[in-house]
Amino acid sequence: KPFNPLLGETYECDRTDDLGWKSFAEQVSHHPPTASQFTEGNGWTMWQEFTMGSKFRGKYLQIIPLGIAHLVFKKSGNHYTWRKVTTTVHNIIVGKLWVDNHGEMDISNHRNGDKCHLKYSAYSYFSREIPRKVTGVVADKEGNAKWVLTGTWDKRMEAAKVVHIDESNKGKPVFETGAHVCIWEKRPLPPGSDRMYNFTSLAITLNEPEEGVAPTDSRLRPDQRAMEEGRWDDANKLKQELEEKQRAARKKREAEMEEASKRGETIKGYQPIWFEMKTDPVTGSPIHVYKGKYWDCKEKSDWSSCPPIFL
């Protein structure tokens, strides 16, 4: 079974020196499972909240992302938001597992009203279309098409500038475009990746032990570390112990809230350490926002606010 993040579990990834960015995430809710992330790069910041709904249909599992992502470029002021499309995992019970992404996505620029509408085509055995196909149009706030996007979500995406628009006899716009330019291409996987879950070079390094991280960091999880080292029986046993500890902590919080309610008092439930719930000014929905204190605490080695979630 997978290592579902424990409530309060965190993960940092500081690649400032070589890649120019650093990222931090915290599991802020267990029901529904929600992770919040904040990333800082050279001239940009990105934050998102990932929570999801799911549908199990016997042969496949659908994962419907519910959170929203924000990306802001400081120099231009461009502020983009988007939501992920649906992911379907096929052959859950029998056969070889494979994944498909499908649905529609809008990427909005809240500075000038530009919008990119993308369509991720679902795989069909009977379709002649290339698998994992993505098509899209970038339009200004008046709805005028400016760019056409084509490609696949797993290999390469291209953009072409719209130079002229005609209408077909069915009333749909026909775009005349300039040359296609590559805007994204997948990097080659490292040698032997087929034996390492097809991880990228970055993904392979993410669980490497690192000194100075918070005591709640995923790399310090004893069950995950045991599995990394090939100690499967220990990993299963430790996983069970960690989950039992988490359940006991939840029961204690619920009992304290019930006692407070009997006394006519109101106490807050579980509160994240590094994020706080606020209203998203763009969407109007509640979202966990980064407080901005993690890297300062790391510099001081002050982890007094971290709960003892591991064994």
Side-chain angles (χ1 to χ4, degrees):
K1 293 176 71 174
F3 297 111
N4 296 321
L6 300 170
L7 188 61
E9 187 174 334
T10 61
Y11 184 80
E12 68 158 80
C13 187
D14 188 352
R15 301 296 296 268
T16 306
D17 292 340
D18 58 341
L19 299 179
W21 55 265
K22 60 182 179 181
S23 181
F24 175 74
E26 177 182 10
Q27 188 75 4
V28 296
S29 170
H30 195 63
H31 293 291
T34 307
S36 291
Q37 179 189 31
F38 185 82
T39 305
E40 300 170 84
N42 291 328
W44 57 271
T45 56
M46 193 276 285
W47 64 97
Q48 65 177 328
E49 188 159 282
F50 184 81
T51 184
M52 64 185 187
S54 61
K55 294 178 183 178
F56 182 56
R57 294 286 188 261
K59 289 184 178 180
Y60 62 87
L61 171 69
Q62 279 197 336
I63 300 164
I64 303 104
L66 303 174
I68 191 167
H70 290 258
L71 172 63
V72 174
F73 291 95
K74 297 172 185 175
K75 190 173 180 180
S76 64
N78 289 328
H79 182 166
Y80 300 94
T81 59
W82 67 92
R83 297 179 192 275
K84 294 180 173 68
V85 294
T86 298
T87 296
T88 299
V89 185
H90 294 268
N91 295 340
I92 287 287
I93 298 174
V94 179
K96 186 177 180 180
L97 283 175
W98 61 279
V99 173
D100 193 25
N101 292 307
H102 53 90
E104 298 188 3
M105 174 193 290
D106 284 320
I107 305 172
S108 300
N109 185 344
H110 299 275
R111 183 185 69 84
N112 60 13
D114 287 353
K115 185 172 285 188
C116 173
H117 181 75
L118 294 172
K119 181 181 179 182
Y120 288 63
S121 299
Y123 174 81
S124 172
Y125 180 80
F126 303 100
S127 175
R128 293 183 179 180
E129 297 281 6
I130 58 171
R132 299 172 283 280
K133 182 180 177 181
V134 181
T135 55
V137 176
V138 179
D140 61 20
K141 63 181 179 181
E142 281 82 28
N144 301 313
K146 298 296 183 182
W147 294 83
V148 172
L149 306 179
T150 56
T152 60
W153 53 260
D154 66 330
K155 289 183 179 176
R156 177 185 172 97
M157 286 295 295
E158 294 181 343
K161 195 167 187 176
V162 175
V163 294
H164 185 69
I165 304 175
D166 285 323
E167 277 199 14
S168 68
N169 54 12
K170 295 181 181 179
K172 292 184 178 180
V174 177
F175 301 121
E176 182 185 335
T177 65
H180 286 250
V181 180
C182 177
I183 55 173
W184 170 79
E185 192 166 25
K186 176 187 175 184
R187 293 183 179 181
L189 292 174
S193 63
D194 56 326
R195 299 192 305 276
M196 298 180 286
Y197 308 99
N198 289 310
F199 280 180
T200 63
S201 299
L202 174 65
I204 288 170
T205 67
L206 293 180
N207 202 33
E208 290 296 313
E210 187 175 329
E211 293 182 3
V213 299
T216 50
D217 195 282
S218 296
R219 282 161 291 197
L220 300 177
R221 273 189 69 154
D223 55 350
Q224 194 165 281
R225 183 56 51 196
M227 184 179 173
E228 178 95 30
E229 295 169 354
R231 296 183 286 114
W232 300 93
D233 291 341
D234 289 346
N236 285 326
K237 182 185 174 189
L238 290 164
K239 181 177 186 288
Q240 191 172 0
E241 290 176 4
L242 280 169
E243 290 173 346
E244 287 174 359
K245 181 177 180 178
Q246 181 173 243
R247 281 191 284 270
R250 186 177 73 240
K251 287 180 180 177
K252 183 182 177 184
R253 281 195 304 273
E254 290 171 350
E256 289 172 351
M257 291 178 70
E258 191 174 336
E259 287 298 317
S261 180
K262 289 177 182 177
R263 297 193 301 268
E265 301 172 4
T266 302
I267 61 172
K268 291 182 178 180
Y270 176 81
Q271 298 297 309
I273 306 302
W274 310 103
F275 292 80
E276 59 184 336
M277 182 74 83
K278 288 188 175 180
T279 300
D280 191 317
V282 173
T283 64
S285 303
I287 186 173
H288 286 88
V289 178
Y290 177 56
K291 294 179 184 178
K293 298 179 180 178
Y294 178 82
W295 300 106
D296 290 338
C297 289
K298 182 182 181 181
E299 195 173 326
K300 300 171 186 173
S301 296
D302 177 11
W303 304 119
S304 55
S305 59
C306 292
I309 61 172
F310 299 146
L311 301 173

